[in-house]
Amino acid sequence: MKIATFNVNSINARLPRILEWFDKAKPDVAVLQEIKCVDEKFPAGEFEDRGYNVEVHGQKTYNGVALLSKHPVDDVVRGLPFLDDGSDKDDEQARYIEALVMPDAAAPVRVGGLYLPNGNPAPGPKYDYKLEWMKRLKKRAEKLLADEEAFVLAGDYNVIPQAEDVHDPAAWWGDALYRQETLDAFREIVNLGLTDAIRQADPAGILYTFWDYQRGAWEKDHGIRIDHLLMSPQAADRFKSAGVDRAERGKEKPSDHVPVWVELA
DNA sequence: ATGGTCGCCGAGCGA
């Protein structure tokens, strides 16, 4: 059971790259971020032709997330809940989608796809929104953990977890992606009992997932690791492997992020 | 070098 996350930076601008990657990587479930379109503009047919169920939480111009699954899905949640009753009416930004994925052979897995706010400039109102969003994500993780299910929270976290995850830690320190309040909020979520799939596979490797379009960041390997898959204990017990499809960044008209994936039993 | 590059959409914002 392969679960992948990919910030595509516009689904329609990236469609040839994405379909090529789907045909090769063959994920069972993929969550996409920054689709940058409303639901009606999402090219659902291209994925349905490949056997995927398509769930979209879109928005005009910015943000937007989607969840694609080869297996049946249930309990689809659009928007990160503000309250325990699941209401999300106050969040105007489309940054979260979740569903229960039910394979025939394997046990079900709940998958949350998230696009955590960038938060720059920090400090400021955008950074306040990021920290508020992280508190809400922690609440969601707490609620899901109480159910004792296998789940994976996957997406663009816009968090650099540690110095090994950035080419120049000193230059980045203080940025909304790499400053004390961000790391504290991220650790609060992880320390509920979640496992970083990439660090499970490779505790010390340099495994960047994003390279800026500017300043020749890709050519100089000036990357950061900000796309993560966090597993619940029940999912972590089923861990087989995980990886970063780094080569995607070197192709024609690439996203600035690359796909990251985990394989569960 | 106080820029550089994308994608949205059709100016300037967000990343």
Side-chain angles (χ1 to χ4, degrees):
Chain A
M1 171 91 155
K2 185 175 184 178
I3 302 166
T5 177
F6 189 4
N7 180 323
V8 297
N9 186 18
S10 170
I11 186 80
N12 287 304
R14 207 71 54 217
L15 194 57
R17 280 291 80 74
I18 296 167
L19 294 176
E20 180 184 81
W21 174 77
F22 264 80
D23 290 340
K24 188 179 51 170
K26 296 182 167 53
D28 290 277
V29 186
V31 289
L32 308 180
Q33 301 87 37
E34 287 204 85
I35 61 170
K36 293 188 172 178
C37 66
V38 293
D39 294 9
E40 300 72 44
K41 296 264 181 72
F42 190 93
E46 298 281 3
F47 297 94
E48 287 162 354
D49 289 348
R50 288 165 168 78
Y52 287 91
N53 296 300
V54 177
E55 301 291 343
V56 181
H57 182 37
Q59 179 188 333
K60 186 176 153 64
T61 309
Y62 300 119
N63 311 313
V65 290
L67 186 151
L68 313 181
S69 172
K70 279 194 171 174
H71 309 292
V73 299
D74 200 359
D75 288 351
V76 179
V77 174
R78 288 178 175 78
L80 186 58
F82 277 81
L83 302 166
D84 290 338
D85 65 8
S87 65
D88 67 319
K89 58 185 181 301
D90 293 323
D91 203 343
E92 291 171 5
Q93 301 188 25
R95 295 179 172 275
Y96 188 80
I97 189 164
E98 179 192 299
L100 180 63
V101 176
M102 299 174 297
D104 295 331
V109 183
R110 191 174 296 273
V111 178
L114 62 101
Y115 176 42
L116 207 148
N118 176 295
N120 277 308
K126 289 185 177 177
Y127 192 60
D128 294 341
Y129 176 67
K130 177 176 196 162
L131 293 178
E132 181 274 328
W133 208 95
M134 293 181 84
K135 278 187 187 163
R136 243 185 312 144
L137 181 62
K138 183 190 175 189
K139 274 194 161 185
R140 187 64 184 165
E142 282 174 331
K143 180 171 167 47
L144 296 178
L145 281 163
D147 296 336
E148 300 187 348
E149 301 177 323
F151 71 82
V152 178
L153 293 175
D156 177 359
Y157 279 73
N158 272 313
V159 173
I160 298 168
Q162 53 187 168
E164 290 76 8
D165 297 320
V166 49
H167 73 279
D168 187 349
W172 275 81
W173 186 251
D175 188 277
L177 282 63
Y178 190 53
R179 59 191 285 117
Q180 198 59 53
E181 305 97 300
T182 302
L183 298 190
D184 289 347
F186 185 69
R187 282 194 205 103
E188 275 193 43
I189 295 167
V190 173
N191 290 344
L192 293 171
L194 305 180
T195 303
D196 178 334
I198 288 297
R199 285 304 174 214
Q200 186 76 5
D202 187 346
I206 302 299
L207 292 155
Y208 302 144
T209 66
F210 167 93
W211 296 260
D212 202 286
Y213 288 124
Q214 299 187 62
R215 296 176 293 269
W218 168 246
E219 288 75 12
K220 297 183 221 166
D221 198 21
H222 287 178
I224 55 178
R225 189 175 76 95
I226 56 175
D227 300 271
H228 310 299
L229 302 112
L230 300 185
M231 305 179 287
S232 76
Q234 292 78 11
D237 285 345
R238 290 161 60 182
F239 175 87
K240 286 170 70 179
S241 61
V244 178
D245 288 346
R246 176 186 169 98
E248 296 303 307
R249 187 61 179 83
K251 297 192 173 167
E252 194 77 16
K253 279 190 68 91
S255 173
D256 40 7
H257 296 249
V258 295
V260 186
W261 52 270
V262 64
E263 174 94 33
L264 304 179

